[in-house]
Amino acid sequence: MTALRERFSASWERRLEAQDRRERVRARQLHRWRTRRHRRRFAALVLAGNLLTIAAALVAHRQIPWVFAALWIGGLVVWMAGFTLLRVLSGRMSTAFSELLDEREREWRHRANYAGYQAFCALVLVGFSYLMVIADTADAAYRGAMMLAALMVVGLSVPTWVLAWSLPDDDLEDFIEPGTGEESDV
């Protein structure tokens, strides 16, 4: 049993080190965009993608499948672009293991996750209400599943959205390469 624990512990340490390396590389990317103004623009982009997927779920039952497909795929592409950029711009708070974060970063992330949990609960209630309204219609299960999928995407993006909206601007001095006194080009 001890050998198994040692292997698990070594594997965990390797994962922490790999994640820390990835986060250090990501922390140097897009440093001039790490302002509240830029993050809020991308938060609006995420919201637009969310609204497109909800619109797609609302028209899922129509007999025009290309409208649904265009809205759904377009919404997911817009959402994914904004969401990915927000995760980079909000720093490692949204992706790193708790062990790699300092107390301030952990506190910000816990606040955002709690807001996300509350929003997710509210969205589940919205989804159930929608299901109750459409229960007696044709394709109610399909329409409900599409709406729940769209609301799940919204709920999953709330913590990153909250972090992006509320974080203060990063200090540009943090992006100066050690020993050179110059900003990194990444």
Side-chain angles (χ1 to χ4, degrees), residues 26-72:
R26 242 187 243 145
R28 297 247 178 242
Q29 295 175 337
L30 305 172
H31 61 278
R32 290 194 177 118
W33 286 13
R34 290 177 186 254
T35 62
R36 185 176 279 180
R37 189 186 74 182
H38 280 101
R39 284 192 301 262
R40 286 184 175 180
R41 285 182 184 167
F42 291 118
L45 187 67
V46 168
L47 183 60
N50 287 334
L51 292 175
L52 284 172
T53 57
I54 290 171
L58 288 172
V59 301
H61 67 287
R62 306 269 187 232
Q63 298 300 322
I64 311 168
W66 66 269
V67 172
F68 165 75
L71 286 172
W72 188 263

Side-chain angles (χ1 to χ4, degrees), residues 140-153:
Y142 172 71
R143 292 171 61 191
M146 295 311 298
M147 183 57 75
L148 288 175
L151 293 175
M152 185 182 73
V153 171

Side-chain angles (χ1 to χ4, degrees), residues 9-151:
S9 179
S11 171
W12 181 253
E13 290 298 322
R14 283 193 306 274
R15 287 181 194 176
L16 280 176
E17 289 171 11
Q19 171 114 22
D20 194 36
R21 278 193 306 272
R22 281 191 305 271
E23 292 299 330
R24 274 189 260 126
V25 168
R26 242 187 243 145
R28 297 247 178 242
Q29 295 175 337
L30 305 172
H31 61 278
R32 290 194 177 118
W33 286 13
R34 290 177 186 254
T35 62
R36 185 176 279 180
R37 189 186 74 182
H38 280 101
R39 284 192 301 262
R40 286 184 175 180
R41 285 182 184 167
F42 291 118
L45 187 67
V46 168
L47 183 60
N50 287 334
L51 292 175
L52 284 172
T53 57
I54 290 171
L58 288 172
V59 301
H61 67 287
R62 306 269 187 232
Q63 298 300 322
I64 311 168
W66 66 269
V67 172
F68 165 75
L71 286 172
W72 188 263
I73 293 170
L76 288 179
V77 167
V78 168
W79 175 80
M80 185 57 77
F83 186 73
T84 303
L85 284 167
L86 280 182
R87 287 181 70 107
V88 170
L89 296 179
S90 63
R92 62 190 200 167
M93 279 183 263
S94 61
T95 58
F97 291 116
S98 287
E99 292 178 26
L100 300 175
L101 300 175
D102 62 21
E103 288 180 29
R104 179 188 147 271
E105 291 171 329
R106 261 189 236 124
E107 180 64 30
W108 277 99
R109 183 164 76 179
H110 290 318
R111 284 186 205 162
N113 285 342
Y114 183 68
Y117 170 74
Q118 289 177 326
F120 208 85
C121 290
L123 290 169
V124 167
L125 291 175
V126 169
F128 287 151
S129 299
Y130 179 75
L131 282 169
M132 298 287 281
V133 169
I134 66 166
D136 292 335
T137 63
D139 295 330
Y142 172 71
R143 292 171 61 191
M146 295 311 298
M147 183 57 75
L148 288 175
L151 293 175

Side-chain angles (χ1 to χ4, degrees), residues 157-179:
S157 61
V158 169
T160 302
W161 191 87
V162 168
L163 275 177
W165 196 264
S166 60
L167 283 176
D169 292 347
D170 285 348
D171 188 8
L172 286 179
E173 291 178 7
D174 293 341
F175 299 101
I176 294 178
E177 287 291 324

